[in-house]
């Protein structure tokens, strides 16, 4: 049998995963770092715990696997944007690239803000609010994908 035909449990027990340093460096480590940073960001906003006294498994997975991980990744992108701004300022070329850096920072801040609202809607148990945030995430993803296609195929 091929690796893809194995069950998820068999894949995780496979030597290809357990003894593969590239898995831990390229997949596991960035995910854990993103999760940690996202947790700390939401901790600063008072959102580090369960969304309710009886948090369901789906709510837990949405909070930890989706919201914390994507917030952590967006904070990392914002940090690299700030480092890039410092670099170009030192090179005296900041005004040549500031629009791209500014747009990226606005996107990152808006994304983390959207995740903050998503958690707040989950805490309020607002079905309409949660669905609205999910649709906003979908539209954001579609717009980013269309921009990527335009960039690649231009």
């Amino acid at each position: 049998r091929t690796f893809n035909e194995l069950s998820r449990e068999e894949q995780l027990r496979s030597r290809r995963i357990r003894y593969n340093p590239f898995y831990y460096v390229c997949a596991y480590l960035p995910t854990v770092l993103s999760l940690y940073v996202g947790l700390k960001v939401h901790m600063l906003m008072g959102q580090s715990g369960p969304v309710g006294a009886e948090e369901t498994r789906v709510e837990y997975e949405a909070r930890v696997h989706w919201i914390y991980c994507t917030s952590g990744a967006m904070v990392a992108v914002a940090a690299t944007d700030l480092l890039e701004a410092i670099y170009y300022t030192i090179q005296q070329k900041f005004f040549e690239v500031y629009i791209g850096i500014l747009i990226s920072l606005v996107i990152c801040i808006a994304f983390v803000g959207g995740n903050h609202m998503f958690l707040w809607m989950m805490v309020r148990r607002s079905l309409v609010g949660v669905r609205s945030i999910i649709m906003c995430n979908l539209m954001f993803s579609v717009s980013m994908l269309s921009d990527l296609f335009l960039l690649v195929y231009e």
Side-chain angles (χ1 to χ4, degrees):
R1 289 180 3 179
T2 66
F3 184 76
N4 290 335
E5 292 173 344
L6 298 174
S7 70
R8 178 85 171 135
E9 292 78 25
E10 291 173 314
Q11 287 178 354
L12 291 175
R13 286 193 311 259
S14 168
R15 289 183 182 168
R16 292 180 187 178
I17 298 293
R18 286 192 322 182
Y19 304 117
N20 185 349
F22 294 110
Y23 170 76
Y24 294 100
V25 172
C26 298
Y28 188 76
L29 184 61
T31 302
V32 170
L33 288 174
S34 182
L35 175 65
Y36 180 77
V37 170
L39 174 64
K40 293 302 177 186
V41 165
H42 284 279
M43 188 179 288
L44 291 173
M45 294 187 271
Q47 296 180 323
S48 60
V51 296
E54 297 179 9
E55 182 179 62
T56 66
R57 180 72 184 165
V58 172
E59 289 170 333
Y60 169 81
E61 288 179 3
R63 179 174 57 86
V64 174
H65 300 179
W66 179 0
I67 295 171
Y68 291 166
C69 282
T70 56
S71 289
M74 287 296 156
V75 167
V77 170
T80 59
D81 288 338
L82 293 174
L83 290 174
E84 188 178 8
I86 292 168
Y87 171 79
Y88 283 116
T89 301
I90 291 170
Q91 297 293 319
Q92 296 180 344
K93 297 180 180 179
F94 178 75
F95 290 106
E96 297 172 21
V97 296
Y98 78 96
I99 292 293
I101 293 171
L102 184 63
I103 289 170
S104 181
L105 283 171
V106 167
I107 289 170
C108 291
I109 291 167
F111 202 93
V112 172
N115 280 345
H116 172 74
M117 290 301 295
F118 186 28
L119 270 176
W120 189 58
M121 290 298 155
M122 287 173 63
V123 168
R124 291 184 63 212
R125 302 277 189 217
S126 171
L127 185 60
V128 172
V130 167
R131 287 182 178 172
S132 297
I133 298 292
I134 290 171
M135 289 307 298
C136 289
N137 272 327
L138 176 65
M139 292 300 105
F140 173 77
S141 300
V142 168
S143 68
M144 290 292 111
L145 184 62
S146 65
D147 287 343
L148 180 64
F149 280 129
L150 289 174
L151 183 68
V152 170
Y153 294 109
E154 196 168 73

